[in-house]
Amino acid sequence: AAARALIARTTGTKVWMGPLTNVSELAGKLIGKDMGTAVQPTDPVYSSWTPPLPTTGTVRNLDMELRTGLTWHYSGFSADLDNVFSSTKDKKNQRLRESVIRALADGGQTRVWNLLIDLIVQTGRIPDSARDLTRFAKDGEARVWVHLAIDRFTGEILDKQLEWVPE
């Protein structure tokens, strides 16, 4: 049920859903814009309204009160867990709720693609008169594993390693 909830969150098209940009979004994020009627009563989005700025006196929470009457929305996979656990006792059990998120946070990546390319390199000769590769005569062969870490937003190669595999 937790896996289905995560898939629904990362494939959803609503403002607060979609692919995770970092691991912290498993817990959730604040969306500082008024979503109006986009939020349905069944959506796991928690809202709080920031009161208008006072005309006199001091502002206690300036970072949350920079805009007048802004509604702050919180949504995340942790909110989706309300529908995963069936009993009220399980829903209130913090360790049970955190165990799902900890397992995903420790074992997952959201910004880096880690790839393993299994490459077989052959050396040999092909006659000048050959019209296709069926006349290729193999002299030698080597196997190489190429490990790549690629930033999925920029396409930058973060790390690469070559590993020659003995046959």
Side-chain angles (χ1 to χ4, degrees), residues 29-128:
K29 63 182 174 181
L30 278 175
I31 304 165
K33 63 197 271 189
D34 195 354
M35 294 187 293
T37 59
V39 178
Q40 303 299 319
T42 57
D43 290 331
V45 175
Y46 304 107
S47 300
S48 65
W49 185 74
T50 303
L53 289 170
T55 53
T56 59
T58 59
V59 176
R60 291 185 180 175
N61 192 354
L62 186 60
D63 57 338
M64 291 292 281
E65 296 181 8
L66 290 177
R67 301 181 76 187
T68 304
L70 180 66
T71 302
W72 288 88
H73 303 280
Y74 167 84
S75 181
F77 179 58
S78 62
D80 298 338
L81 293 177
D82 283 347
N83 298 323
V84 169
F85 302 116
S86 55
S87 73
T88 306
K89 180 182 166 186
D90 289 343
K91 289 180 182 184
K92 292 181 179 181
N93 185 337
Q94 183 177 357
R95 288 184 183 163
L96 186 59
R97 295 174 65 88
E98 287 178 356
S99 67
V100 175
I101 293 176
R102 285 183 181 167
L104 292 168
D106 287 345
Q109 281 279 356
T110 57
R111 185 163 174 148
V112 177
W113 285 324
N114 292 302
L115 303 173
L116 169 67
I117 302 170
D118 187 5
L119 187 62
I120 299 174
V121 183
Q122 294 180 334
T123 59
R125 287 177 255 123
I126 190 165
D128 292 338

Side-chain angles (χ1 to χ4, degrees), residues 1-14 16-20 26 76-77 80-81 84 100 104:
R4 283 190 296 278
L6 183 59
I7 290 169
R9 170 159 294 278
T10 57
T11 58
T13 57
K14 294 182 180 180
W16 59 91
M17 294 183 163
L20 303 176
L26 284 170
F77 179 58
D80 298 338
L81 293 177
V84 169
V100 175
L104 292 168

Side-chain angles (χ1 to χ4, degrees), residues 111-115 148-160:
R111 185 163 174 148
V112 177
W113 285 324
N114 292 302
L115 303 173
L148 291 175
I150 302 173
D151 184 314
R152 70 173 225 198
F153 293 131
T154 65
E156 178 185 355
I157 295 176
L158 303 173
D159 187 38
K160 62 182 173 188

Side-chain angles (χ1 to χ4, degrees), residues 126-145:
I126 190 165
D128 292 338
S129 62
R131 297 195 184 265
D132 56 35
L133 294 177
T134 58
R135 309 256 332 255
F136 178 77
K138 180 178 78 168
D139 290 336
E141 182 175 282
R143 188 174 199 167
V144 181
W145 287 343

